Amino acid sequence: MKPATPKPQLSVTAVLLRLFRKPGRSDLLTILLMLGIMLAIGAAAIVLMVLTAGAANATPLTAGDRVQLVLENGEGFSGKYQIDVQGQIALPYAGPVAVAGMDTLQAAESVTRHLEAKGLFRQGAARTTMQVLWWAPLNVKVSGEVFNPGVHPVNMPASRDRSIERAEEIPGAYTPNRNLSDALKAAGGITTWANLGQIVLKRRGETTIHDVRHVLSGAPGNDPSLQEGDEVWVPRMDQPDPRYARPSAITPPGIKVFAGNMVQSQNNAPAANALGALPMAYGSRFSQAVVAVNCAGGIGWSNASRMATLVRTQRLNGTTQRWNVPVEQLLSEGHDDINPLLQEGDAVACYDSQVTGWREVFRVLTEILTPLSIFRGLP
């Protein structure tokens, strides 16, 4: 038997020459075809992203919204409609049509299909357009890590624009504030414990998860539109994030704390606010409130022993927390354990040192004894 002839081994040089040889006509056609396919896929992806983004950002219709329906060659159906509590509009001769949860393009298409199904128009003959005249306020339940959990109205118009007739003078004159971020703001804003990457939205038995961390910085991102009856739950993180304690679209612009001052003060004006309420920027700390009520500093050697007290009552369970810190320690150290972020309704008080108290006692005794010594010197 003849031995098998071994296959010739290609050298590295030969392999490289094959890889980098001058492409022929067929190679160029293959490359162009592949480039064309890649460009087509990229263009289709971009179009899909645009269409998906448009659908996601479109404000869905909900109960209470008032719309204008225009039907070509269908004057009997054209007119103004208000969406009822079932999310429907009632068409004459054709009955109710469900439109809640749809944008205006989808709702118009739903009306068209309904009229054709009823036999009132031939296939393709009903041309329908819809325009929103009035975006209704919503009632949304917000719970979890917000300052004021409960049911809150969203998209409440200004008092001058609450008339539907006035709003219909210029349809589309204002943008509805019916997004998830609007509901968080209506509930007093998020706390520093809020897990913004896992916001839960419940709607008619369905649950979706949303990340709204971008709202804090004003960056673009997903901020879903809400509907009547939606429920929002803000879960709690394991640790608070102090970066959340600043004014934003989902945090309060400012807070008020109850403030009391020490006995001795050359300027006690900040403590004389109405009802003892001291306005502070959201994100302020215990030490800043102490300075604001003139508790820090002073020219007397006895001022160094002042004590500052912060009292906080938790609204959900009624428990009370208390911080008692020497003023000098609070200002010189100021770590989170003794210098927490302030919250709405906190109470801050300042106590003078014992030296100041004894000094007051001696001053009162002096004022009492001085007149007696004067009387003794009289003839």
Side-chain angles (χ1 to χ4, degrees):
M1 181 181 288
K2 233 174 159 185
T5 305
K7 294 181 179 180
Q9 298 294 326
L10 292 176
S11 65
V12 175
T13 305
V15 173
L16 292 176
L17 288 174
R18 284 193 176 187
L19 289 174
F20 295 100
R21 66 182 174 82
K22 185 177 180 180
R25 181 179 179 84
S26 60
D27 296 326
L28 291 174
L29 291 176
T30 302
I31 293 173
L32 291 175
L33 179 61
M34 292 178 64
L35 288 174
I37 293 174
M38 292 174 64
L39 290 173
I41 293 175
I46 292 174
V47 171
L48 182 61
M49 289 174 61
V50 171
L51 292 176
T52 304
N57 293 329
T59 302
L61 299 170
T62 191
D65 288 346
R66 193 175 176 90
V67 297
Q68 175 80 47
L69 186 67
V70 177
L71 192 65
E72 185 177 353
N73 299 322
E75 290 78 8
F77 301 101
S78 298
K80 298 177 182 178
Y81 296 88
Q82 188 160 9
I83 303 174
D84 61 23
V85 292
Q86 283 78 33
Q88 302 172 332
I89 58 174
L91 299 176
Y93 316 112
V97 183
V99 295
M102 307 177 185
D103 60 29
T104 52
L105 294 177
Q106 295 168 336
E109 180 62 26
S110 179
V111 171
T112 299
R113 292 195 303 267
H114 183 78
L115 293 174
E116 292 173 349
K118 291 290 184 179
L120 299 172
F121 284 85
R122 298 192 311 273
Q123 189 75 23
R127 297 181 180 179
T128 311
T129 59
M130 183 179 291
Q131 186 178 32
V132 177
L133 300 176
W134 170 262
W135 296 101
L138 306 178
N139 291 304
V140 180
K141 181 180 179 181
V142 186
S143 58
E145 289 302 319
V146 291
F147 285 105
N148 297 311
V151 178
H152 295 277
V154 178
N155 192 48
M156 287 297 294
S159 57
R160 64 180 183 277
D161 297 326
R162 288 182 182 175
S163 168
I164 294 179
E165 289 73 18
R166 180 180 176 86
E168 290 179 1
E169 293 176 2
I170 308 177
Y174 71 98
T175 304
N177 298 315
R178 301 201 311 201
N179 294 79
L180 177 57
S181 60
D182 298 312
L184 297 177
K185 191 63 174 287
I190 59 163
T191 72
T192 54
W193 292 87
N195 187 347
L196 296 182
Q198 298 289 326
I199 303 293
V200 178
L201 175 60
K202 296 181 180 180
R203 176 179 299 163
R204 294 191 295 271
E206 295 184 2
T207 299
T208 54
I209 308 296
H210 301 274
D211 186 345
V212 297
R213 286 174 290 186
H214 60 279
V215 178
L216 280 171
S217 60
N222 179 38
D223 190 9
S225 295
L226 301 178
Q227 296 184 34
E228 177 69 26
D230 282 355
E231 296 183 14
V232 177
W233 178 58
V234 184
R236 182 183 179 89
M237 295 191 297
D238 295 333
Q239 295 293 331
D241 192 337
R243 296 175 300 176
Y244 292 178
R246 58 186 176 86
S248 73
I250 53 176
T251 54
I255 59 175
K256 287 187 177 182
V257 299
F258 297 97
N261 208 341
M262 64 279 186
V263 177
Q264 295 278 335
S265 177
Q266 299 298 322
N267 181 12
N268 204 25
N273 289 310
L275 300 179
L278 178 68
M280 300 288 292
Y282 185 50
S284 300
R285 290 186 177 269
F286 180 22
S287 58
Q288 292 170 295
V290 167
V291 173
V293 296
N294 295 326
C295 187
I299 59 176
W301 63 272
S302 60
N303 295 338
S305 301
R306 290 176 184 149
M307 293 291 295
T309 299
L310 170 63
V311 179
R312 173 177 300 162
T313 301
Q314 299 292 343
R315 296 185 179 182
L316 295 180
N317 53 26
T319 59
T320 299
Q321 293 175 273
R322 182 185 179 97
W323 289 262
N324 243 348
V325 187
V327 172
E328 289 301 315
Q329 180 186 1
L330 181 64
L331 298 181
S332 61
E333 298 179 13
H335 51 80
D336 291 349
D337 291 339
I338 63 172
N339 193 23
L341 290 163
L342 293 174
Q343 295 184 12
E344 179 78 19
D346 281 353
V348 177
C350 188
Y351 298 93
D352 279 318
S353 65
Q354 292 182 355
V355 174
T356 303
W358 282 110
R359 186 175 60 189
E360 281 296 300
V361 172
F362 287 120
R363 184 182 63 83
V364 173
L365 290 175
T366 302
E367 291 177 353
I368 295 174
L369 295 175
T370 299
L372 294 177
S373 60
I374 296 174
F375 290 145
R376 287 177 185 172
L378 294 176

